[in-house]
Amino acid sequence: MPQPFPPQETVPQPPPAPDGTRAVFGNGTAHSRDQHRCLAASYDPVTLPRLAAAGVGPGWRCLEIGAGGGSIARWLAQRVLPGGSVLATDRDPRDLVPGPGLEVAALDVARDPLPEAAYDLVVARLVLQHVPTRDAVLRTLVRSLKPGGLLQIDEIDASYEPPLLAPDPQSEALYVRFLHAKTAALRAAGGDPHWGRRAPAAMRAAGLTDLDVRMHIGVRHAQDPGLALQLNHTRNLRDRLKEQGMTDDELDRVARLMRDPSFRAASSVFYSVQGRRPARERP
């Protein structure tokens, strides 16, 4: 079946989200490249072993939604050759580079069609929390799987990520204020930064079986890529955070706090959930 979204060499700016909001995180900037680096360093050690344990190998046909900087797609492409292929998609795929076994395409998963029963594996990491129509998108992803195919959704629940060690109560309060402002900014754009905890039930409701849920939590510190990602957001989301009432001075101070070697905070809870499309559909 031909792809409904052929790879593009030049990619226009992504369209607005279905509800009229703009994409929270853009690509093609120094901030986006730093974010992709932090995301890969933080979460590839969970995502990639899960895929390896699932048996991804030669001949598999794979799709990644919201591929960002492409670390997952590149890893998959190395695993599926010979005979397999990986299609890495993003609303704005300018930070993705095609290669052997790896194609790149612009795709807005909330709007654009996917071929049905086409993929052995579909992966979406930290994507669906940003999509207001995430339940409908999940059903689309399930239909794109071959019978018996695997869907892996990796998401966070940011409702629990408190500071643990701060220099003083004022610094602790500032970090909490930053977390609350970020949550409000993501919700204002139609996102749900707590959706990770609901991903398993949503995947079951979309028709997947053999659900396998893993969860991970860690400690953020100055050398941790997860805290580096938070630091990135003081720059990458600055305008949105200011819309939620934070000032430039507060954002600069919380950035300095996150560089403090003595600072510690709990990470968000990272959920990695796998499920399979039934080999035989119910009538």
Side-chain angles (χ1 to χ4, degrees), residues 152-207:
Q152 180 166 318
I153 301 292
D154 288 358
E155 281 287 354
I156 63 169
D157 175 3
S159 63
Y160 179 82
E161 44 185 0
L164 304 174
L165 287 173
D168 50 64
Q170 293 77 21
S171 297
E172 180 175 330
L174 178 62
Y175 185 75
V176 171
R177 175 167 163 73
F178 162 73
L179 296 177
H180 288 170
K182 193 170 82 164
T183 293
L186 295 175
R187 290 196 181 280
D192 181 1
H194 302 171
W195 185 73
R197 73 176 80 169
R198 288 184 281 276
M203 292 169 69
R204 182 175 61 186

Side-chain angles (χ1 to χ4, degrees), residues 2 4-5 8 24 32 49-50 53 66 68 80 105 122 135 158 214 238:
F5 37 89
Q8 300 179 12
V24 174
S32 73
R50 289 275 282 159
V80 302
V122 175
D135 289 335
R214 307 289 173 91
R238 180 160 291 233

Side-chain angles (χ1 to χ4, degrees), residues 4-177:
F5 37 89
Q8 300 179 12
E9 294 183 359
T10 59
V11 182
Q13 288 293 325
D19 61 356
T21 59
R22 64 193 189 278
V24 174
F25 296 107
N27 286 340
T29 69
H31 291 331
S32 73
R33 289 187 287 273
D34 179 62
Q35 171 160 303
H36 297 325
R37 178 187 60 79
C38 293
L39 285 170
S42 297
Y43 300 122
D44 280 6
V46 178
T47 299
L48 302 186
R50 289 275 282 159
L51 294 172
V56 177
W60 280 46
R61 191 176 182 205
C62 305
L63 169 69
E64 186 183 2
I65 299 296
S71 64
I72 298 172
R74 289 190 297 272
W75 182 90
L76 287 171
Q78 293 174 349
R79 302 273 301 200
V80 302
L81 293 177
S85 64
V86 178
L87 180 62
T89 70
D90 202 287
R91 285 179 60 164
D92 180 357
R94 72 184 75 183
D95 290 336
L96 295 168
V97 179
L102 174 59
E103 294 183 82
V104 172
L107 173 75
D108 182 343
V109 72
R111 296 181 173 189
D112 297 332
L114 287 171
E116 297 200 10
Y119 299 105
D120 301 290
L121 170 71
V122 175
V123 182
R125 183 172 72 187
L126 300 176
V127 174
L128 295 188
Q129 66 165 284
H130 299 296
V131 181
T133 56
R134 60 189 64 87
D135 289 335
V137 168
L138 256 180
R139 292 191 293 271
T140 298
L141 297 182
V142 172
R143 289 193 298 270
S144 76
L145 289 168
K146 298 176 182 179
L150 181 72
L151 175 64
Q152 180 166 318
I153 301 292
D154 288 358
E155 281 287 354
I156 63 169
D157 175 3
S159 63
Y160 179 82
E161 44 185 0
L164 304 174
L165 287 173
D168 50 64
Q170 293 77 21
S171 297
E172 180 175 330
L174 178 62
Y175 185 75
V176 171
R177 175 167 163 73

Side-chain angles (χ1 to χ4, degrees), residues 160 162-166 172 218-220 263-267:
Y160 179 82
L164 304 174
L165 287 173
E172 180 175 330
V219 176
R220 290 174 174 158
F263 179 73
R264 298 290 186 275
S267 75

